[in-house]
Amino acid sequence: MNKLLRIFLLAAAFVVTFASCERRPLVDPTSSVSIRVQVNIKAIANVTTEIYNERIPVPDLTTNSMRVMIYDPQTKGRLGESIISGRTVDSEGNQVLSGNLNISYGSYDLLVYNEFDTPKTKVSDTGNLESIIAYTDDISAETRMRLGLGTKADDDTFHDLSTIEIKEEPDHLVVARENNLYISPHDTVVVIKTIARTIVDSYYIQIHVEGMKYASSASAVISGLSPSNRFGLGLRTVEHSTAVCFPLVKSVDVNLEGENKDVLCAVFNTFGKIEDAASNLYVTFNVIDTAGQIQKKEVSLDEIFKSEDAIKRHWLLVDETWTLQNPDVPPVNNGGGFQPVVDEWEHEEGNITL
C-alpha cells in the first residue's frame, strides 16, 4: 500500500504543478523583424519632374513586390533573403512595400530592390554584396540587322556601329541600402524603415525633322554610357563604355521657331553617362522610311551633355534639322561614288563551243 500511496501522491503533485504553470508562446525570431520600404520617385527628371514634352509617355515606376537581400557585414556573403509584397501609400503619396524578414538579433547589411517588374534590367551575382550587379542584355542580331547596325558603315560619315556593344535600355531599378544595421535582442516586433531610390537615369532627346511624312519608324543609338551598376556598393561601372538603343516617337515641339514643329524624340533610360567619355558621345538616329529603306543622321553629344539643360534637367536638345529624303525620288548624282547604270540590251551573234 505504501508503494501505491507514493505513486498516487507523485501523480497528484505533477497535476498540481502542471496546472500552476503559465504557458507562453515562444517568440519566433523569423517573424519578429519587419521592414517598411518607402519608394521615393519624386525627383526623377523626365519621369516625375522636369517634363519637357508632355505629349509622349514616360516610364511607369509602380512595383508590386521587392526582394530583400541579407548579407554579413564582415564577409559580405549572403545570409538569406525575403520577398515583401504588402502595398500601401503613405501620407505623401509614396508607395510603401512591407513584409517580414527571416532574421533575429545581430548586425546585417540589407539590400532591397524591385526585381519582378523589370523585364529588361537583369540582376546577377547575388551571393555577395560587393558583386551583385544590375545590367541589360545586348540587343538581338535581328534588331541590329533591322536597324542597319549589323554591317560596317558604307562610308566614314558615320561611326562603325557593327563592332560596338549595344545594350537594351534598362528599366528603373529602385534600391534601398542599410549597412551594418544592428538589431538588438527583443521580445516585440522590430520595424526597419528605409527609402528606395532609382539607380537609373532618364533623359529626354529630340531632333527637329523636315519630311516627317517619309518616316515609318525610328530609333536611336547613344554611345559613351555605363553598361551596369554594382548597386550593393552604389557604383556605376566604368570599365568600358557601351551604347544603348531605344525607339523614337513622332511628336511636336511648340517652342521651335517656324511653322514646322515636327520632332523625333524619346525619354530613354540609362545606367548613366561616363564622366570621362568625352569625344565618344554621339547619337545615331535611324529612320526606316516609307519604302523600307534606312536613313541615318549622326550628331556629337559632347557639347550637348555639357549644357545646363543636360546637367540640370537631363534634356538633350539637338539644335539641328534633319531633312528626310523622299524615298520615291532618286538621289542626285554629284559625281561621287559608284553609280550603277543599266544600258539597253545589245544584240550579238556568234557560236559557243561546248
Side-chain angles (χ1 to χ4, degrees):
M1 281 301 284
N2 291 336
K3 183 178 180 181
L4 290 175
L5 181 60
R6 286 198 301 270
I7 294 174
F8 176 79
L9 292 175
L10 288 172
F14 176 79
V15 170
V16 172
T17 302
F18 182 80
S20 65
C21 291
E22 181 180 359
R23 299 169 59 184
R24 297 181 181 178
L26 294 175
V27 176
D28 185 355
T30 64
S31 63
S32 61
V33 179
S34 67
I35 188 169
R36 288 174 53 85
V37 184
Q38 180 196 82
V39 181
N40 190 325
I41 58 173
K42 290 186 175 180
I44 304 178
N46 301 297
V47 178
T48 57
T49 186
E50 302 290 359
I51 305 295
Y52 184 87
N53 189 342
E54 296 182 351
R55 297 172 177 81
I56 65 172
V58 297
D60 180 12
L61 299 191
T62 58
T63 183
N64 294 317
S65 60
M66 302 186 81
R67 185 183 294 274
V68 184
M69 306 298 293
I70 305 162
Y71 294 97
D72 186 312
Q74 302 301 320
T75 67
K76 305 302 179 183
R78 182 176 59 196
L79 298 175
E81 59 183 271
S82 296
I83 303 298
I84 59 174
S85 56
R87 296 180 63 198
T88 57
V89 177
D90 65 16
S91 59
E92 298 178 353
N94 299 300
Q95 300 175 74
V96 177
L97 276 292
S98 60
N100 296 326
L101 301 184
N102 189 24
I103 57 177
S104 183
Y105 61 88
S107 294
Y108 305 95
D109 285 345
L110 300 184
L111 186 65
V112 190
Y113 60 96
N114 60 317
E115 181 183 15
F116 305 102
D117 47 13
T118 58
K120 292 182 180 179
T121 299
K122 309 295 179 61
V123 175
S124 66
D125 298 333
T126 60
N128 189 283
L129 181 68
E130 296 179 348
S131 66
I132 188 170
I133 189 169
Y135 64 96
T136 59
D137 291 331
D138 294 344
I139 63 172
S140 66
E142 178 184 357
T143 300
R144 275 185 174 270
M145 295 303 298
R146 178 168 51 84
L147 300 178
L149 307 176
T151 57
K152 190 178 186 301
D154 295 332
D155 54 53
D156 295 333
T157 304
F158 304 101
H159 282 80
D160 181 12
L161 299 180
S162 64
T163 59
I164 71 170
E165 191 177 57
I166 304 178
K167 299 284 189 179
E168 294 184 336
E169 59 173 323
D171 306 297
H172 275 274
L173 193 73
V174 291
V175 174
R177 285 182 294 270
E178 294 292 337
N179 293 327
N180 204 26
L181 178 69
Y182 178 69
I183 300 174
S184 59
H186 54 276
D187 56 9
T188 59
V189 176
V190 173
V191 180
I192 301 168
K193 296 182 179 180
T194 188
I195 300 176
R197 295 182 174 86
T198 184
I199 62 170
V200 171
D201 290 337
S202 289
Y203 281 85
Y204 174 80
I205 188 169
Q206 78 169 31
I207 185 170
H208 184 216
V209 174
E210 294 280 359
M212 184 72 83
K213 63 183 179 180
Y214 302 129
S216 177
S217 63
S219 62
V221 175
I222 293 183
S223 67
L225 303 176
S226 172
S228 55
N229 190 307
R230 295 194 179 279
F231 62 98
L233 301 174
L235 296 176
R236 290 172 174 167
T237 56
V238 296
E239 290 89 354
H240 66 281
S241 67
T242 189
V244 65
C245 181
F246 53 91
L248 297 170
V249 298
K250 300 176 182 178
S251 189
V252 295
D253 181 359
V254 295
N255 298 313
L256 293 176
E257 297 180 357
E259 295 183 1
N260 178 24
K261 312 287 187 181
D262 292 340
V263 295
L264 285 172
C265 61
V267 171
F268 71 94
N269 299 332
T270 170
F271 286 116
K273 170 187 173 292
I274 296 179
E275 294 303 323
D276 59 353
S279 301
N280 193 33
L281 286 162
Y282 58 90
V283 56
T284 303
F285 296 103
N286 305 280
V287 161
I288 299 178
D289 61 31
T290 51
Q293 301 171 342
I294 298 175
Q295 299 190 36
K296 294 186 177 184
K297 183 176 179 63
E298 189 175 284
V299 177
S300 172
L301 294 177
D302 285 340
E303 296 303 317
I304 295 177
F305 264 110
K306 296 177 185 177
S307 68
E308 182 178 352
D309 280 337
I311 295 172
K312 293 185 176 181
R313 292 172 280 275
H314 285 189
W315 297 347
L316 306 178
L317 307 178
V318 178
D319 190 20
E320 296 185 29
T321 299
W322 184 16
T323 301
L324 298 179
Q325 302 300 315
N326 184 347
D328 297 326
V329 177
V332 177
N333 180 13
N334 293 321
F338 173 67
Q339 299 292 330
V341 177
V342 179
D343 296 326
E344 295 183 1
W345 288 97
E346 295 182 0
H347 180 72
E348 293 186 2
E349 294 183 359
N351 295 325
I352 299 176
T353 302
L354 299 178

